[in-house]
Amino acid sequence: MGIDALSPVAPARIRCLLLPSGTITRSRFSTFVERLQQESTVRLGDVSPNTKSQRNMFSPLAFPTGLAIYDMATVNPSSSYLALVPFELYRESLVVIGIADGLNNSHGDEPAAPVSASVNGNGTVQGSSGDFSQITRRLKDHYPRALVHQLFIFDCDARASSSPPDVIFVPSLEHSKTTTMKTIMCDLTALLLVEMTSYAKSLQALPTIETPKSLQDQRSSGDYIYNSNSQLDGNSRPESRISQTPTSRSSSPAADVRHSIPSHMYVAATDDVDERSTSRPPSNGYRTPPTAVDQTNGVPETQQPSVDKERLRRHSRDRVAIQGFGSGSVGERARNKTKGRKGVVLGSLYLLAGRWPDALKELVESATVARSLSDHVWHAKALDYILVCLLICAWAGMDFEIPQICYPLGDKSSPGLGKTSKHNSLNSIPDLTPLKSPNAANRLVSLQNLCNLLPDLVNNILHLYVRAANFTADQLPQISYSESAIRFAKLLTIIENAYGSLDDQGLQLVVLNIDTNTKPTTIPSHFASFPTKAEVAGVLLRALPNSAMEISLDANDRVNILAGIASVLAKLGYHRKKAFIMRELMIILLPALVQSRKDSAAELGVHPAASLSSYELTGNGRGFEEAFGSLHGSVIGIQSFLSLMCKVYGVVLSARAEILMSTGALTDTDYKDEIATSIMEPDSLQSIVGCIIEDASTRSCGDLSLKVDILRLCINVCEALPDLPGVLRFSSDLLKTAGSGIAAGPESRDGSPSLPMEDQARLLSNISRTVSAARKFNFSIADAEYWDDFLIRDIEIIRTSTLKSPSPRKMRQLDIGSTFSSDTKDSPFIYNPFGTKSDSAAVEPLLVVGEEATFSILCQNLFDFDLEIDWISLDTAEGSIETLAKNLMIGPYRTQSIQLLGVPKISGVLRIAGCLVKVKGCRERRFPIFKIPWKSTGEAKFKRLGLSLAVKTTERPISSVSEGAHSHREISKKGPVATTLDIKVIGPQPNVVVKKTSLLQSAIMLLEGETKRFTMTLRNISNTTPMDILSLSFSDSASGILQSALTNKDLSPPELYEIELASYKKETLKWRHEDHGVATKIAPNEDLLLEIEVVGKPGLTYGSTHIDYGYLGVDKTKVKDELFTRQISFPFTITVNSSIDLVRNDFLPFTGDFAWLNQKKKLGSGESAHSTPPDRRSRAASRLTSKPENRFQSLLERLGLGTQGSDHFLLLLDFHNSWPKPLSISVQVREKTTPQEPSPFDLWKRAYTAHEVLQPGQTSRLVLLLPRIFLANPYAPIPSLNSTTKRQFIHSSSTAFDNETERTAREAFWLREEILKLMRASWTEDATGRTGQIELRTLRLTARMVDAIKLEEVGIDLAVSADSTSESDSENTCPVTQLARSLFRVPVDAFLTLSATVTNRLQTPIYPLLRLQPSLRNQPYNVALDLGRKFAFNGLMQQALSLLQPGESQEVQLGVVFLVSGEFEIRASVEEIRIWKGHTTKKEDGGGDASDPGMSRLLERTERRAWQSREPCIVHAVGDA
C-alpha cells in the first residue's frame, strides 16, 4: 500500500518533492518514482557522517539504529500547509528532487514534451539535457525553502567526475546492484542531515516563534506577505510573521554556512536572546562525538548579521516594557515560552532525522515548559510529537517508557508500567533501550500501557487545541486541528479493530501502511475499557470544520479533510457516515468540474450552460473516441466511486453486477459465477427476479430524498466530466430509485414515483438527448436501461369472431355418462369454493386452427410521462405466431392494453413467456409476465437495519466446526411470480346458437316463493359437424350473493348452514326433463327444445343459462382424457316482487291445565285419554279453524288426548302482505313423528291448518300451538351440507369462544330445526290462482324462547293427596281437591301425602338427590321460609334416590300437615350426587356428515348438574268455616 498522507506517524516523515525534469514521459516518470518509493526508509547506521564538526548536530552516529522515513510526493503542498511551518515542519518539502530521463527520448505511449528551461504551471522543471546545472539552479530559485535540491538522471551511467555536485546519475535496473538505490538514498540523507543543522541553528536564533494562523486571519491582519516570485499555484510560500523585512540570501553572512536557508530566517541576535536556548543532544551513554552545537552557545558571532538596536527594536514584536526582573516577570515568561516553542521545533527536527531519543528528550522538556506557561497549542503539539516518537520506537522494536507528561495532571504516577520511573514530573526522560538487546516483556507491557493511555492522551491533546481557541493569538488553524483529529482517530481505529491491542502487525499498519488483514482470534479482557467505535467516530467527526471555520479553508483543504474522514469511517465500518462525507466531498468538487466544463464549452464556441457541450465536437480532425480515450481511466474510477457512494445510500443500481465486480466488493467465487451468469444473460427470468428482490431490499433502506439528491449529484458529475454512459446509467437509476418498484394492483395507491412531474420529464428528455449524442459519435453503449421490470403485466386472448373459444372439460364435469347433466347433485355455480377442486390449477385458453385471435397485452407505466414504444412482439418459448406492433404510446400513470393480431398455423401447444420490447431511448430487452400484483413486504422480524438489508444473510450463523461440512444457505425471499400463457390449438368444432325462447324480451316476473317455467330452442348452424355433447349450468344474482357470503370467514355455523341450504338444496334455476330418453345430439341444421324452471327468491335480478356443447366423434364411454367444448349463454332478466313476509315471531309458554282437564273429562267418561282416532282429530281441526272465534276451541279440547303429551307452547307469527293484491295464507302444523306413527308425509294429511286473508299492506298474527320438544343431544355439531369439503365447524369465530355460548347456539339451532319440521306455509292469490311458498326459516330464537320450547332433561311432578294410612274420622276431615294440574285445596290439620315424581329423559343414568322446599306464597323471603307452627312434615326434605335409568321414573312420598290456613308453595329440585362414568352412544339430532369429537368432548358438562321443577305445587289450606 502507498504512503498515507494522514498517517498517525506523518510528523516523522521527511517530505520529498519529486518533479519531472527535461524530456520525460508520464509512464517513465511513474516508473522512476516507484523505484525511489521502494527505498523510502533509510537506516542512519548506513549514512556516512559529515566530517565537519560544526554541521553534525544531527549526526547519524548519535543513534545508528534510527530510521529516516521519506514521503515521496509529486505535488507541492498548498500555501495553507506551508503557513504552518515551523509549527509543523513535516508539511514542508525539505528535499526537492528533479527526475530526468537519461535516454533523452520517449519510451512510453505518450508524446515527448518539448525541452525548455522554464517552470510550467504544474511545477514541472524542464530544461536541456546538457545543461543540468541550469535545471538545479531553477529548482533552487523556485523552491528556496527546501534544504536539499538534487537532480536524479535515471537510466544513465554514473559520471561522478564530470557531474555537478547536485546531479546524481542512476543506472538502469539491468545495470544496478541491490544496494545501488539504497546507497543513493543514504547519500541524499547525509546531505539532508547536514543542512538540517544550519536550519536548526537558524530557528534557534529567532527571537520568537508565534503560533501559526489561517491564511484568512493573516490576510485580514496584514501579516500575509508574499514573495516577489509568488505564484497562484502555491509553490512559493508567504513570509512568516517573525520578520517584516525579508533579507536576501546572497547578502547574508550566513550564506557561507548553508545556501538553502530561507531568507526571512536571517535576523539579528541580541543580548536578550537566551544563550542556553540551544539544546544539546543527549549523550545517554551513546558513542556520539561532540558537535559544534554542544560547544557553542547559540549561533557564532561571525555568522550573526550586524543590525543596530534601533532596527531590532523596530522589527521585534515581542519586546515589551517591563518594570522588574525575576522569574515571574513578563519578559521572563515570554523568553521561557519562546524557549519551549523552540524546543518543540527542534524535537520535530530530531524526529524527522531519525534521532528519536533526542527528539523525545527535547519534546518532554518543551512540553513541560509549555504546560507550566499555559501555552496550550505548543503543549498539545509536543504531546502529539511524543506520541509519534513512542509509536516509532515501538515499531522499531525498542523498549520505551511513557513520559509522565503524557499522563493527566491528576495522575502523577504511571500505574501499570513495567518499572517505576526514576524521574520527577518536570524532568522525566524516557529510558530507551537500543534495538540490539530489546526487552520483549517490557516492550509488550509498554505497548499495552500506551494503548490504555492513548484515549486520554488523544482527548487531552484535542482539548488543549480547543482551549487555545479562547486566546485569539494562539488559535490553531482549522487544517492543522482537523488533520490531527483524523490521525488520532485513525490510530484509535487500528487499535480498536485489533480488540484494544497494538502488536507488530498493527505497528506495520501505523507506520508503513501495510495491512495484513489479520485480527486476533480472542478478545482480551481489557478491550471492554477501550473506546467503542462510536466514541472513536466522535473523535473523528471533531475534524469536521464548522460553518465559521470553512471560510478559512480552500477547496483543496476541505477535500483533503473530508477524504481523510471518509477513509477512517470506512475502516470503522460506518459506511453511511462515510457516504455522507463522500457526498459533501462531491459537492465541493462539482463546482470545479462545472467550471471546467464551461471553459471547455467556451473553447468550442458553444453555450457554457449546455449539459453535453463537451460532446459537441465538430470536424476538427479529432474524433470522439480520441477525446474520450484520455479520460477513460478516470471515468471508470469516478463511476466506481459514485456507485460505491450510491450503494451505501441504498440507491437502486441498474448495473449492479458490473459495479460489484469492478470495485472488488465480491470475494465469494460462487457468487461471482452467479453474477457472471447474470451478465451473460441479463434478460433471463432468474436474473430479472433476482434483481427485483435485490432492488426491493435496497429500496427498503435509506432515505428517499437523500437517494434522489445523490443521484442528481452523480448525473451532474458525469455531465461535467463528460461521461455519456454515466449520464444514461444514473438517469435510469434515478427513475428506478424514485419509482415504487411494485406490480400495482387494481386498488394500489402507492405506485406513483417520488419525483415531481417536471423532474421526470426532464430526466426522460435528458436520456433522449444523451442517446442522440452517443449515437452521433458511434458510442458502444448508446441506450439506457429501462427502469421498470414490471412493464408487461398480463397477456390475454380476445376473440374477434362471433365464435367463442373452446374450453377444456373433464368427463365428470359434464356428466357425459347420463343423458342430462342436471340430474347430478353438483352445485349450480360456475365457481363453487366448496365444490370438488379441479385437477388443473388454471384453464388453458384454446385456439382453433385458422381462426384469427387478438392478444391483449397489459402494460404498466407508473410514471407521469408518456412512454414511447418503438416496437413490441410476443416472446414464445414454444410454438410460432406472427405478431408485431410499432410506434405505440402508453399514457402516464396507468395500465394500458395493447392489442396484437395473430393466427395460429398448426395445432399443438403455443407458450408465450413474455414480450420483446424496444422502448425509445432504451435497449431492446425481454420482459416476463408479472400478472399477480406484488410489492415487497419486508422482513417479519427486524433483525437487520440499514445497509445490512442489502447484504445476503444465512438462515443461522454457521460455526467454524460445521463451516466446511455445510454450505451457507441463503434466506429465501419471496419475489414476484412470473407467469406464462399456454395456448392449445385444436381441430374444428360445431357452432350452436339459441334460436328462440318463450320469454318475451328475455324477462320473467315472479313473486317470492313462486315457481315458473320457460322453454328455449337450440339450433346447430354448422353444416358439417354435429353436436354430441350437451351440458347445462346456471348462474344468477342470488347465487352470486350467496357465493360471496360463503367466503366470509366470520360466519357462525348456523349462518353458514343457512347459506349452504339455500345454495345446494334450494336451486333457483333447474333443467326440467321428465323424459330421460330425449336425445342430446343435434345434427347439422337441427333443433333441440329445453325447459327451464325458475324459483322466485329475494335479491334475484338476473339469471343466465350456460350451455356447453362440443363434438367427440367417438363413444362417450371411451373418452378418458379431457375434451373441449364451446359455451353459449342465454341471459335473461328476473323481477322478483315481495309477497308474504314473516316479519316477527315469538314463543310463549302454555299452561298444562287444559291437557289435565281434558284427561280428567275422558277419565270421567270412561274413555282412554288417547283413544281419539287421528282421522277424527284431523277433520275436527280442519273444520273448526276456519272460523276465528272457534280457532282454538278444537285445539284446546284435544290437548293431552294424543301421544304428544300435555306440555305445549304458543307460537306467534306475524305475516305482512307486501303485494298490492289480497293474498290468502295457510299455515299447517303436524304432530311430531314417533316410531309408532306413520311417516311425516302422511301426517301432513291430518295436520291442522290456520288460514288468513291479508289485504295489501296488512300485517296479521297467527297463533299456533305446538308440543314442547325434547332434544336427546342438544349439543350435537351443526352439520355441513357440502360433504366434499369435509369442513368441520367448531364454533363461531366472530365472537370470543365460550363453552356456554356454544352450547346455547347449538341447542337453539336444533330446536329451530325441529320446529321447522312441524310447520309449512304457503300463499295463494285467489284472483289469478298464483301460488307460492312462504319462507319460514327466518324464525329466530332467544334464550327466553328456548326455555319455553324445550322439555327439561329431568321432569319433576308434585302432587298432594290424602294420607291413605290416616285413622282419623273421615267425617271430620274434608277431602283433597285438585283444582288444576299443580293447584290443590286441602283442609287444615289433616294428614296428607306429598308425592314427588322424578323422570329421567336423558340417555344416561343419573344419581339424583331430591330437595323439597315449602314456603308461604306471596310473602317476603324471610317470612315465606318461617314455617314454624305453620307446616309440619314427617320425613326428610332432602334425600338421595337410587340410580335412575334413562326413561325411568321414581316417586317419593312425604307426610305433611298444614297447621294454619293460607296459600303454600312447594318447589322441588334434583341435583346429581355424582357423574355417571359409564359409556353411552349419543344420538346427534339433525344428522349430517360433519362431526367434531374434540368440540363435543369440550362441551360435555363435567360438573354436577341440577334441575328445578318447571312449575311449583300450590296448596290452598282451608280451615273450618
Side-chain angles (χ1 to χ4, degrees), residues 52 146-147 157 176 291 388 439 536 587 755 771 818 826 836 866 1026 1051 1092 1132 1137 1189 1191 1242 1377 1393 1405 1518:
K52 298 181 181 180
L147 302 182
D157 296 336
S176 299
T291 61
V388 175
N439 192 334
V536 175
I587 292 176
L755 280 179
V771 169
S818 60
D826 291 341
T836 304
D866 293 332
L1051 292 175
I1092 310 299
F1132 54 93
N1137 297 318
E1189 61 274 9
R1191 178 172 297 175
D1242 297 332
T1377 304
T1393 301
V1518 181

Side-chain angles (χ1 to χ4, degrees), residues 744-935:
E747 303 297 332
S748 298
R749 299 181 181 272
D750 53 354
S752 58
S754 302
L755 280 179
M757 185 183 305
E758 296 78 7
D759 293 348
Q760 300 178 39
R762 190 179 299 110
L763 284 173
L764 185 63
S765 176
N766 192 25
I767 291 176
S768 300
R769 290 187 294 105
T770 306
V771 169
S772 300
R775 292 177 179 175
K776 178 180 179 181
F777 300 108
N778 297 324
F779 198 73
S780 58
I781 304 177
D783 292 320
E785 186 74 21
Y786 188 67
W787 41 86
D788 188 5
D789 294 324
F790 299 98
L791 177 62
I792 305 300
R793 295 301 310 280
D794 193 10
I795 299 179
E796 296 179 350
I797 298 179
I798 302 177
R799 300 291 298 182
T800 56
S801 62
T802 57
L803 298 179
K804 193 169 185 179
S805 175
S807 302
R809 299 285 182 174
K810 296 292 184 180
M811 295 295 295
R812 62 175 181 272
Q813 293 177 342
L814 300 177
D815 196 14
I816 301 300
S818 60
T819 305
F820 297 97
S821 63
S822 60
D823 287 342
T824 62
K825 297 182 180 180
D826 291 341
S827 170
F829 305 123
I830 294 178
Y831 169 72
N832 183 6
F834 297 100
T836 304
K837 295 183 178 180
S838 177
D839 294 339
S840 59
V843 178
E844 297 179 358
L846 295 174
L847 293 179
V848 181
V849 175
E851 294 184 4
E852 188 180 63
T854 302
F855 295 89
S856 177
I857 303 176
L858 187 63
C859 300
Q860 169 182 290
N861 179 23
L862 299 181
F863 292 84
D864 297 325
F865 51 75
D866 293 332
L867 185 64
E868 300 182 25
I869 298 179
D870 293 340
W871 56 264
I872 182 173
S873 63
L874 295 179
D875 179 28
T876 58
E878 186 176 353
S880 176
I881 190 170
E882 297 179 1
T883 57
L884 183 64
K886 297 182 178 180
N887 300 327
L888 302 175
M889 182 77 70
I890 300 178
Y893 197 72
R894 67 188 62 187
T895 53
Q896 181 175 331
S897 296
I898 299 175
Q899 294 185 357
L900 296 177
L901 295 178
V903 178
K905 302 300 181 181
I906 57 175
S907 61
V909 177
L910 179 64
R911 176 168 298 174
I912 301 176
C915 292
L916 295 175
V917 185
K918 175 65 173 68
V919 180
K920 184 178 181 180
C922 301
R923 70 176 182 88
E924 172 193 349
R925 56 164 293 187
R926 179 183 294 104
F927 290 91
I929 305 174
F930 295 107
K931 184 177 182 180
I932 303 175
W934 179 87
K935 65 181 296 186

Side-chain angles (χ1 to χ4, degrees), residues 158 417 763 777 903 962 988 1023 1223:
L417 293 177
L763 284 173
F777 300 108
V903 178
S962 60
N1023 297 325
L1223 295 178

Side-chain angles (χ1 to χ4, degrees), residues 148-208:
V148 177
H149 301 80
Q150 292 289 317
L151 177 62
F152 284 8
I153 303 177
F154 284 83
D155 293 349
C156 184
D157 296 336
R159 291 171 293 178
S161 58
S162 60
S163 63
D166 295 337
V167 179
I168 298 177
F169 295 94
V170 182
S172 61
L173 290 175
E174 294 78 6
H175 299 85
S176 299
K177 299 180 181 179
T178 307
T179 59
T180 300
M181 285 302 303
K182 185 181 295 294
T183 303
I184 294 174
M185 292 303 298
C186 289
D187 296 340
L188 180 67
T189 304
L191 182 60
L192 175 63
L193 294 179
V194 172
E195 296 296 333
M196 288 177 67
T197 302
S198 301
Y199 189 75
K201 291 181 180 180
S202 301
L203 290 175
Q204 291 177 351
L206 296 176
T208 181

Side-chain angles (χ1 to χ4, degrees), residues 162 240 388 998 1365:
S162 60
S240 173
V388 175
S998 60
T1365 61

Side-chain angles (χ1 to χ4, degrees), residues 1050-1053 1290-1305 1495 1498-1499:
D1050 296 333
L1051 292 175
S1052 62
I1290 306 302
H1291 60 85
S1292 177
S1293 60
S1294 60
T1295 58
F1297 175 71
D1298 180 51
N1299 287 349
E1300 192 62 32
T1301 304
E1302 191 70 20
R1303 294 190 190 101
T1304 303
M1495 179 56 64
L1498 183 62
L1499 294 179

Side-chain angles (χ1 to χ4, degrees), residues 1212-1336:
L1212 308 181
L1213 300 176
D1214 294 347
F1215 292 99
H1216 176 75
N1217 182 13
S1218 302
W1219 185 243
K1221 293 183 180 180
L1223 295 178
S1224 175
I1225 62 174
S1226 300
V1227 181
Q1228 289 183 293
V1229 179
R1230 65 174 178 85
E1231 297 180 355
K1232 189 176 181 180
T1233 306
T1234 61
Q1236 295 79 17
E1237 295 286 345
S1239 63
F1241 181 77
D1242 297 332
L1243 289 177
W1244 286 115
K1245 296 181 180 180
R1246 51 189 178 88
Y1248 74 90
T1249 306
H1251 298 281
E1252 187 71 28
V1253 177
L1254 299 181
Q1255 297 300 324
Q1258 179 185 358
T1259 301
S1260 179
R1261 173 170 292 180
L1262 295 183
V1263 181
L1264 304 176
L1265 192 64
L1266 282 80
R1268 293 178 63 195
I1269 301 171
F1270 173 74
L1271 297 177
N1273 185 14
Y1275 310 134
I1278 300 175
S1280 174
L1281 299 180
N1282 187 10
S1283 59
T1284 57
T1285 58
K1286 297 181 181 180
R1287 187 173 181 180
Q1288 297 181 355
F1289 300 103
I1290 306 302
H1291 60 85
S1292 177
S1293 60
S1294 60
T1295 58
F1297 175 71
D1298 180 51
N1299 287 349
E1300 192 62 32
T1301 304
E1302 191 70 20
R1303 294 190 190 101
T1304 303
R1306 291 191 177 189
E1307 185 178 22
F1309 173 81
W1310 290 117
L1311 288 174
R1312 178 172 172 272
E1313 291 298 314
E1314 292 297 323
I1315 294 173
L1316 292 176
K1317 291 179 182 179
L1318 303 178
M1319 298 171 54
R1320 68 180 181 182
S1322 61
W1323 58 267
T1324 304
E1325 187 180 5
D1326 296 334
T1328 59
R1330 301 171 65 178
T1331 182
Q1333 300 294 323
I1334 301 176
E1335 184 61 59
L1336 297 178

